[in-house]
Amino acid sequence: MYLILLGPPGVGKGTQAQFLIDDLKAVQLSTGEVLRAAIANGTDLGKKAKTFMDAGDLVPDEVILGMIHDKLEELEGKAVIFDGFPRTEAQAAGLDVELEKMGKAVDNAVALTIDDEVVVDRLSARRVHPGSGRVYNLLFSPPKNEGVDDKTGEALVHRDDDQPDVIRHRLEVYHESTAPVAGFYKKQGKLLEVDGDGTVEDVRGRVKAALKDLG
Ligand code: AP5
Ligand code: MG
């Protein structure tokens, strides 16, 4: 199974992906997490991505598609939840080509929707555990012990791009380049739209219901 989570920065893609990997026995492939790990490890991929990410701009399609090619090989045979990919129509078309070569296809794209103002508040209070992708929020879902991950006790980090001016730019980039990706999957009859406002559990229930409706 190949399921896509679409939606603006801060809508809850990473949060909901953590539920879906359990519910669907899948693995999460967050392009943002892969890129941040590459930057932390000082790899060529990280060097190519850093300036774009710091500014809140998209990393070029060819860099992302090269990375996805390698990841799909590595994850062959597993159900995959894509989080934060594809982010342009060119990436969506590139993914279709890669999957077709494997005799596979995208099953569905869940588009989480939300107002921009809600996102700025959520992201300013976000903390993340880089090793696992687990996401916390100082206001809505704090860790049990301040500053550390619930499961591993390792330090949580505040992402470099979670500053108000960069968040606003990421939202502009989203509306300009990524929002049209929903139309790409709508045309294929694969789009499921889910309201991303409300509590984490509300949204989880809506996502589950949308996927169940498929039978
Ligand atoms: P990426 O890491 O994908 O960031 P993003 O899309 O901006 O999304 P976020 O991770 O900020 O938000 P999210 O939807 O995952 O929300 P979360 O669950 O954390 O990308 C970063 C950068 O990498 C990009 O800017 C780009 O440069 C580059 N990049 C990545 N992929 C790329 C690609 N394919 N092509 C080109 N460039 C790419 O939740 C946010 C906060 O809200 C958390 O604190 C959480 O606890 C809280 N929260 C979640 N749900 C709720 C709720 N229902 N109620 C209250 N709080 C909630
Ligand atoms: Mg995320």
Side-chain angles (χ1 to χ4, degrees):
M1 175 190 217
Y2 295 95
L3 183 70
I4 286 163
L5 284 178
L6 293 174
V11 72
K13 300 180 297 292
T15 301
Q16 297 301 327
Q18 288 287 319
F19 295 132
L20 289 168
I21 56 176
D22 283 342
D23 293 347
L24 303 173
K25 307 277 171 286
V27 293
Q28 174 184 8
L29 176 45
S30 160
T31 42
E33 296 296 336
V34 175
L35 293 168
R36 279 185 288 279
I39 291 174
N41 294 328
T43 66
D44 282 349
L45 175 63
K47 283 175 196 145
K48 282 182 199 155
K50 187 170 178 5
T51 33
F52 295 102
M53 290 181 75
D54 284 348
D57 285 318
L58 294 182
V59 175
D61 288 339
E62 59 275 16
V63 175
I64 297 290
L65 285 169
M67 171 178 127
I68 289 291
H69 172 87
D70 295 346
K71 284 279 165 191
L72 283 174
E73 269 182 4
E74 192 184 310
L75 299 174
E76 189 156 11
K78 293 192 173 148
V80 180
I81 314 284
F82 292 99
D83 159 7
F85 169 87
R87 255 178 157 90
T88 62
E89 290 180 275
Q91 290 181 17
L95 176 62
D96 277 0
V97 171
E98 285 292 331
L99 289 177
E100 210 178 318
K101 282 189 226 156
M102 298 163 64
K104 309 275 189 207
V106 168
D107 291 84
N108 284 106
V110 174
L112 297 170
T113 58
I114 201 150
D115 288 342
D116 286 2
E117 303 81 76
V118 183
V119 157
V120 179
D121 289 343
R122 281 188 187 177
L123 290 180
S124 305
R126 169 167 60 185
R127 297 293 181 273
V128 293
H129 176 240
S132 68
R134 276 187 287 279
V135 189
Y136 300 87
N137 191 284
L138 301 183
L139 304 174
F140 307 112
S141 47
K144 291 190 185 113
N145 297 306
E146 200 184 321
V148 295
D149 178 49
D150 288 352
K151 286 199 183 163
T152 62
E154 291 165 356
L156 301 178
V157 301
H158 189 183
R159 269 171 50 177
D160 290 342
D161 59 351
D162 278 349
Q163 310 301 332
D165 53 334
V166 184
I167 295 170
R168 275 187 215 100
H169 183 62
R170 284 159 59 202
L171 281 165
E172 282 167 19
V173 170
Y174 170 78
H175 289 297
E176 166 112 15
S177 306
T178 306
V181 176
F184 181 95
Y185 291 109
K186 193 165 192 171
K187 269 188 227 146
Q188 296 187 351
K190 293 178 177 173
L191 186 72
L192 304 169
E193 279 180 291
V194 173
D195 181 2
D197 206 353
T199 66
V200 167
E201 287 297 330
D202 287 341
V203 180
R204 181 185 191 179
R206 287 184 209 128
V207 171
K208 261 190 163 174
L211 291 170
K212 208 170 272 164
D213 282 350
L214 299 173

